[in-house]
Structures are given as C-alpha cells and as structure tokens.
Amino acid sequence: MHENKYLTIYHDLISRIRRGEWKAYDKLPSEHELAARYETSRETIRKALHLLSEHGYIQKMKGKGSIVLDVGKYDFPVSGLVSFKELAQTMKQPVRTIVHELAIIKPDRELRQHLRASSKDEVWKVVRVREIGGERIILDKDFFLKKHVPLLTKEICEDSIYEYLETKLYLPISFAKKEISVDEATDEDRRYLDLHGDDRVVVVKNYVYLSNAALFQYTESRHRLDKFRFVDFARRK
C-alpha cells in the first residue's frame, strides 16, 4: 500500500485541479506543505509531482515551484497505456462499464492478421460499453490471445482487465501501436452508444505488446465524436 501512496496523491491532485481548486497558472503548495497535508515524505510527493509533470498537468519551474497548466476539459491521452479504470479516477462524473459479450472465439482472417494469430489460436472477445455521466459514449471491443490470457470473467471485465493481467497473471504489458481515424457509425455503434443522430465516431485501434515484443491484444475503441479531445503531451528533453 505504501508503494502506491504516490499514485493516490497523484490522482487526488488531478481531481483537485480538475475541480478548479487550483486554476491554470496557479502555483501548487510547496513539497513541504503537500508532505504535511498528505502525511507522507517529500520523496513520495516528488514522485506524484513528477507524474503530474509528465502527463502535462504542471510545469516545475526552478525557484518558483510547480505551476498548474491549462488542462481545460477532460482529455483522452493518445500516448501511454492507461486503463479506463485509471482514467475514470480523474473524472467528475459517475462511470460504469457494461459487459455485453465475453466469449472465446476462433479468429477470422481479419482478426488473425490483427493479432498475427494462426487458425489454431483461440481468442477472448470482450465487448464493453463505457457509460460516463449516464451516457453511453465509448464502445470497446477487445481481443486477447488465449495462450497469453487463459481466463477472463465478467467480474474482471467490469472492473479492470489490465489490473487483473498485471497483478494476477503478472503479464509484463509494455507498449502499443495506435491508429486513430474518424469512421462512419455502424449499426453496432448505434445499438450500443447514445449517438443522438451523429453519423461518425472516432476509432482508436490498439495493438498491444508484452515486454518480449509478443503481440497479445488488439482493441478497437469507438468514441462519440463530441465527447473527447484526443491529446498527446510532448516535452522536449
């Protein structure tokens, strides 16, 4: 629990920034003040502030402390591998994951190409809708090679698959290749999402690899066009 305290502080600081406790260009309390507030060490605070800096919430300025950047509305990060559960911790609205399908399938030709699978491979298919603030705005279709993920349950899928893979199966999830496009909404999109007449969705395709460069997951995440701003935060080293 102690090892994760800086993450708890990181998420709490994000929530406070998003609630407007500190506005754009305000200075955060000093490391000493934050350490006293959270009853922890300055080293733990430094770890939390480092994450805030890396993800574009603050700019650390020598002699001036940590300055809050203009984060505006909720952003969907393009870079990084972040689970929906982790993202949900930064949102103001209530969130819910609805599992519509969980099955083991034989991959068709297209899916075999996406996963570099053979006709003998078995694949977990998981179809989930993400509801935010009472509206169904994300349709996630995940495919996992069963040889890497032998078991999934509805309960795991409703909570966090990545948390299960990393803490129970100890899978070393390493990196992903992403493709983003704006596509025509399908009948499936209209069935599962609250599109309100929109005829296009933002589609993010993820090809996810383990640390040994083995491709184990393909995901197609379909987002309502008006609800997300897709961003990448770049920092010159």
Side-chain angles (χ1 to χ4, degrees), residues 4-40:
N4 293 326
K5 188 166 186 177
Y6 76 96
L7 289 174
T8 301
I9 295 170
Y10 163 70
H11 289 302
D12 185 61
L13 289 172
I14 288 177
S15 296
R16 290 171 181 269
I17 290 171
R18 290 197 174 279
R19 289 199 303 267
E21 184 170 327
W22 299 293
K23 302 186 184 303
Y25 313 114
D26 283 350
K27 187 171 75 171
L28 286 184
S30 68
E31 291 180 1
H32 178 77
E33 291 171 318
L34 289 172
R37 177 180 296 189
Y38 289 104
E39 299 181 341
T40 190

Side-chain angles (χ1 to χ4, degrees), residues 193-210:
L193 300 177
D194 296 320
L195 294 181
H196 302 307
D198 289 345
D199 59 359
R200 290 182 177 271
V201 292
V202 176
V203 180
V204 182
K205 296 180 180 179
N206 282 278
Y207 300 83
V208 189
Y209 297 78
L210 301 175

Side-chain angles (χ1 to χ4, degrees), residues 162-193:
Y162 269 25
E163 185 175 292
Y164 165 72
L165 297 182
E166 291 179 319
T167 64
K168 301 300 182 182
L169 298 187
Y170 304 106
L171 281 185
I173 302 170
S174 182
F175 63 96
K177 183 183 77 171
K178 300 192 177 190
E179 299 175 3
I180 301 177
S181 61
V182 177
D183 294 355
E184 293 285 343
T186 64
D187 289 340
E188 185 179 44
D189 294 328
R190 296 184 183 92
R191 183 166 68 252
Y192 287 129
L193 300 177

